[in-house]
Amino acid sequence: MGLCFTCHWTRVVTSRRGSTFFRCGRAEVDARFVRYPQLPKLACDGYEERSDT
Ligand code: SF4
């Protein structure tokens, strides 16, 4: 998962079947980002460290 693992913008989505997906929340407010980025993300201009990590 790389940078997304500790990023403030990471959203975790769980499907009805119980599968877990990762989504980039930044994609909803900024067109430069894709909703489902290819992982692991090793560099990202939108990265912001989560304050709880
Ligand atoms: S902004 Fe970048 S590092 Fe953060 S969740 Fe989105 S793709 Fe991952």
Side-chain angles (χ1 to χ4, degrees):
M1 197 169 197
L3 282 176
C4 298
F5 188 66
T6 57
C7 182
H8 163 75
W9 292 98
T10 299
R11 306 287 181 264
V12 177
V13 184
T14 305
S15 75
R16 264 183 254 164
R17 287 179 167 184
S19 307
T20 302
F21 299 92
F22 151 79
R23 186 163 65 76
C24 174
R26 191 144 200 172
E28 288 161 21
V29 293
D30 191 325
R32 291 175 303 158
F33 299 92
V34 294
R35 190 171 284 220
Y36 295 100
Q38 202 169 0
L39 303 179
K41 195 92 174 156
L42 301 179
C44 181
D45 289 341
Y47 176 77
E48 285 178 42
E49 189 174 2
R50 260 201 331 253
S51 54
D52 62 344
T53 52

